[in-house]
């Protein structure tokens, strides 16, 4: 997890978001994907291998030391070190999730404000599971539990009911564990570059393997995945190279998110 930033780059980023129309009619849904939805990413692995209970325990054990207070705002390096502690064949089964959003303090992650956070997902015998040292009182939890607990009601409600703050909803990059290990140096760019900003500025990060070999998803798509409504394979097909996933959000998706995060 990274502390909320107040640098001038964030001001520039917010200016970029203001011109973004997240309810564009050319969006794709979980059930409708055009032929150009997956281009260079079609070469990457888009399925999940099951992780045994023993392997799940191994991941939990590797995470424990990173729950200490001095690791609180070092999510990039934390995940990097955790993956290095695991056997290569296990790290290969995991997905690293880089979550970013625009706007300071709009979203909270387990009661902490953030604009950038990195954690791990695995397909366990108990379903999709999130592994993260920042989970209170645990090292991992079921994905559906994560969805129900990670965001605080007041800030997420504010974000989902305001036309301006909708542009600051989280965006997620999914990348396999080995690619993250091999291209860890590139991950620091995600700390300051919101996906929309990186795309609009034709940033150097667009040339990195970490960006090229990752999938971009929005909160609606991730919620559908984490609740088991859509499969991982179908979800990653929503990705389009160098397009903000926020452009795929339509009115019905926002209404669904309000029901999940505000009215439930």
């Amino acid at each position: 997890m990274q502390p909320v930033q107040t640098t001038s780059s964030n001001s520039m980023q917010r200016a970029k978001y203001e011109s973004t129309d997240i309810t564009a009619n050319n969006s794709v849904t979980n059930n409708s994907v055009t032929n150009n939805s997956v281009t260079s990413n079609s070469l990457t692995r888009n399925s999940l291998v099951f992780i045994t209970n023993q392997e799940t325990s191994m991941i939990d054990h590797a995470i424990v030391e990173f729950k200490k207070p001095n690791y609180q705002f070092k999510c990039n390096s934390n995940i990097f070190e955790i993956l290095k502690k695991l056997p290569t064949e296990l790290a290969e089964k995991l997905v690293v999730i880089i979550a970013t959003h625009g706007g300071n303090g709009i979203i909270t992650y387990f009661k902490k404000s953030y604009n950038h956070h990195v954690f791990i997902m695995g397909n366990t015998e108990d379903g999709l599971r999130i592994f993260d040292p920042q989970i209170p009182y645990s090292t991992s939890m079921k994905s559906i539990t994560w969805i129900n607990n990670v965001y605080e009601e007041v800030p997420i409600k504010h974000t989902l009911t305001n036309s301006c703050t909708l542009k600051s909803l989280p965006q997620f990059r999914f990348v396999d564990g080995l690619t993250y290990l091999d291209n860890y140096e590139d991950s620091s760019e995600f700390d300051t570059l919101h996906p929309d900003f990186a795309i609009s500025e034709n940033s150097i990060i667009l040339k990195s393997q970490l960006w090229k070999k990752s999938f971009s998803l929005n909160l609606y798509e991730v919620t559908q995945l984490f609740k088991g409504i859509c499969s991982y394979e179908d979800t990653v097909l929503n990705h389009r190279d160098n397009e903000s996933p926020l452009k795929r959000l339509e009115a019905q998706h926002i209404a669904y998110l309000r029901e999940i995060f505000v009215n439930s």
Side-chain angles (χ1 to χ4, degrees), residues 182-209:
D182 292 341
N183 301 275
Y184 167 69
E185 293 78 7
D186 294 338
S187 64
S188 61
E189 294 294 332
F190 288 83
D191 196 350
T192 55
L193 290 180
H194 184 282
D196 283 358
F197 185 66
I199 294 168
S200 63
E201 290 296 302
N202 194 25
S203 167
I204 189 67
I205 200 172
L206 297 179
K207 301 177 183 178
S208 76
Q209 292 301 306

Side-chain angles (χ1 to χ4, degrees), residues 18-240:
E18 294 302 322
S19 63
T20 302
D21 179 10
I22 66 169
T23 59
N25 291 328
N26 63 344
S27 62
V28 295
T29 66
N30 282 329
N31 297 318
S32 176
V33 183
T34 56
N35 290 333
N36 64 347
S37 294
V38 179
T39 53
S40 62
N41 288 69
S42 62
L43 300 177
T44 64
R45 177 170 56 83
N46 64 347
S47 61
L48 294 176
V49 179
F50 276 107
I51 298 170
T52 66
N53 288 335
Q54 182 179 4
E55 290 174 321
T56 298
S57 297
M58 192 181 302
I59 300 167
D60 287 330
H61 181 74
I63 287 175
V64 169
E65 71 172 277
F66 297 96
K67 293 188 70 66
K68 298 175 183 177
N70 53 307
Y71 290 104
Q72 185 171 358
F73 295 111
K74 300 177 181 179
C75 59
N76 267 331
S77 58
N78 290 348
I79 297 306
F80 179 68
E81 293 298 329
I82 290 167
L83 290 173
K84 284 202 305 182
K85 290 176 177 292
L86 301 176
T88 300
E89 59 271 20
L90 177 52
E92 188 176 20
K93 298 178 181 180
L94 297 171
V95 172
V96 175
I97 301 177
I98 303 171
T100 59
H101 74 82
N104 292 338
I106 291 176
I107 304 294
T108 58
Y109 183 95
F110 290 118
K111 300 184 184 297
K112 297 181 180 69
S113 295
Y114 81 102
N115 57 15
H116 173 260
H117 187 57
V118 184
F119 51 97
I120 301 171
M121 179 179 73
N123 191 17
T124 71
E125 296 179 357
D126 198 27
L128 288 180
R129 197 163 191 88
I130 303 301
F131 299 90
D132 185 354
Q134 296 304 316
I135 294 174
Y137 314 114
S138 180
T139 56
S140 62
M141 62 170 50
K142 291 182 179 179
S143 60
I144 190 170
T145 305
W146 187 93
I147 282 292
N148 291 336
N149 289 275
V150 66
Y151 298 123
E152 295 299 299
E153 181 180 355
V154 172
I156 195 69
K157 179 179 181 179
H158 173 68
T159 307
L160 286 166
T161 54
N162 185 296
S163 59
C164 293
T165 55
L166 280 173
K167 301 178 182 68
S168 298
L169 280 173
Q171 300 188 50
F172 304 83
R173 298 291 297 198
F174 282 40
V175 62
D176 71 85
L178 290 188
T179 298
Y180 187 82
L181 279 174
D182 292 341
N183 301 275
Y184 167 69
E185 293 78 7
D186 294 338
S187 64
S188 61
E189 294 294 332
F190 288 83
D191 196 350
T192 55
L193 290 180
H194 184 282
D196 283 358
F197 185 66
I199 294 168
S200 63
E201 290 296 302
N202 194 25
S203 167
I204 189 67
I205 200 172
L206 297 179
K207 301 177 183 178
S208 76
Q209 292 301 306
L210 189 61
W211 183 276
K212 290 180 178 180
K213 294 184 177 181
S214 60
F215 300 101
S216 191
L217 302 170
N218 60 48
L219 182 59
Y220 171 78
E221 293 161 347
V222 167
T223 300
Q224 293 279 291
L225 171 65
F226 283 9
K227 283 182 170 290
I229 298 171
C230 290
S231 69
Y232 180 79
E233 291 80 1
D234 288 340
T235 300
V236 297
L237 289 177
N238 288 318
H239 166 88
R240 288 187 177 185

